[in-house]
Amino acid sequence: MVDRFFVEKFSYIVLLIPLLLITGPFLPDLIVSLSCIFFIYLNLSKKRFFFNNNFVKIFILFYITLIISSIFSENLLPSLKSSFFYFRFGLFIIVLIYFFNNNNKFEKRFIKIGLISILIVILSCLIEFFLLRFDYLSKLLFIINNTADDINFSVQHGALINSVHNRVSGIFGSEGVAGSFLLRISPFFYFYYLINFFKKKQPTIKKIIILNLIFLLIPITVLLTGERASFILVCFSIFLNFIIIKRLRKYLKYSLYASLILVFTIVSFDPIIKSRLIYETKYQLTHFHDLSNKNVTKDKSNKQKIFLVSEVHQGHFIAAWKIFLENKYLGAGLKGFRYKCFKDKNFTSDNLVSCSTHPHNILMQFLSETGILGTLFYVLLLFYVSFQIIKNIFLVNIKKINTSINKDIQNCALICILISIWPLTTSGSFFNNWLSILYYLPIVFYLKDQEFMKNVKSS
């Protein structure tokens, strides 16, 4: 009876997670926590254990590493508070696979909800984009017609460095994570496409056009958000998906060509996007952020100097590396980066260091907060995922093997996992609750058909 309620009734709440991620971290994290509590109770009452598999064993080792790192941290309570409840993300994967195996309609509904969340974010971003451009053009026309110099609106020739609002976030408001969200939730579009387009019945022209339009709008919307790292990664993701998954080429190849043309057109003719992607990037790579806190003269600052991403981000990386050198084996613990950086005089007095809540790079965060021991898990995962993707590229394009739809879904999930842990870009905090849910969702679709996960069924 409890089993039936959990699978048939409570699952409707869990279905909403992709949609509720739009509202912020509280509601989706609450559902994750409640589903884990319910699932633990269910297993204890039935004396069942679904944890005898490789994924759970590896995750438990990783979880123990986080706990140990927090225990030896200088910032014990905040660090332990963050790491102690981290187990819920690993357990949530088991919960979702349990739903997939015991509710025939859950997977398709879950994917549809993910697709709906993509559409909502795209629509909200497009509306904001057109409103901002209308406002921009109105002010520009006013300047041209009135030749007013005292208006608070500056347009620099060849570069619009912080002169106009160049970030679009749609329904996320001031959070500025619409591009990151679309990047990490985009596999739901591919899952929907693979499941619905390759049945016995041929898809209608109308359905093909609609799906192509959605696919076209995903990278374009990420471009419009001004999130440069997300845009680069979404392009990388599309590239890998088209190489590995032949079925994507059948109906989506023309919208891929159209998206390339649109991207070049927008970057060429929209001065704000062009500024954000090209001029502002170049500026951040070669200019000091704030000379007032630097022991550097203006003459020295005018000399060409190249930063990693920007001077501020490079300061985060330097701080993370210094923290790692002081805590090589276990790191400074979760949330240890912010504690050391803001509290330790060795960091606050260092002009090369820029402090923040996290290092803005996954690899540097693992090094600084979990040390060599925790980073080992990250590196092994990165190598495993990379190896699997390279192997699949070889099998599909050199060996010319035909893959099943389930295999294509697994490959798509693998690519999303790689994008989420990609080390050569800026990123949010890996241990952020909101991001953690997005990071773990593709793992569910990769593991759900693995043989060792077949034991996750009701008795």
Side-chain angles (χ1 to χ4, degrees), residues 282-381:
K282 182 181 177 181
Y283 184 88
Q284 290 178 345
L285 287 171
T286 57
H287 287 72
F288 286 96
H289 177 68
D290 183 7
L291 286 177
S292 63
N293 294 321
K294 303 286 183 294
N295 294 324
V296 62
T297 65
K298 289 185 178 180
D299 292 335
K300 288 182 179 179
S301 70
N302 290 329
K303 293 181 179 180
Q304 190 76 0
K305 180 178 177 65
I306 302 297
F307 296 106
L308 292 173
V309 185
S310 71
E311 185 211 1
V312 175
H313 285 93
Q314 184 166 303
H316 299 333
F317 305 155
I318 292 171
W321 182 251
K322 290 181 68 174
I323 292 171
F324 165 69
L325 293 178
E326 292 180 7
N327 308 269
K328 290 183 181 178
Y329 300 106
L330 293 173
L334 269 60
K335 296 186 177 179
F337 176 86
R338 69 180 73 181
Y339 177 82
K340 293 283 290 184
C341 200
F342 285 114
K343 300 288 185 180
D344 195 320
K345 290 183 179 179
N346 291 329
F347 296 92
T348 55
S349 61
D350 191 337
N351 289 326
L352 296 177
V353 166
S354 298
C355 291
S356 182
T357 55
H358 59 91
H360 291 81
N361 177 270
I362 288 180
L363 176 58
M364 299 310 295
Q365 183 173 15
F366 267 91
L367 284 170
S368 61
E369 296 190 345
T370 67
I372 293 173
L373 194 58
T375 306
L376 184 62
F377 288 93
Y378 169 77
V379 172
L380 289 175
L381 176 63

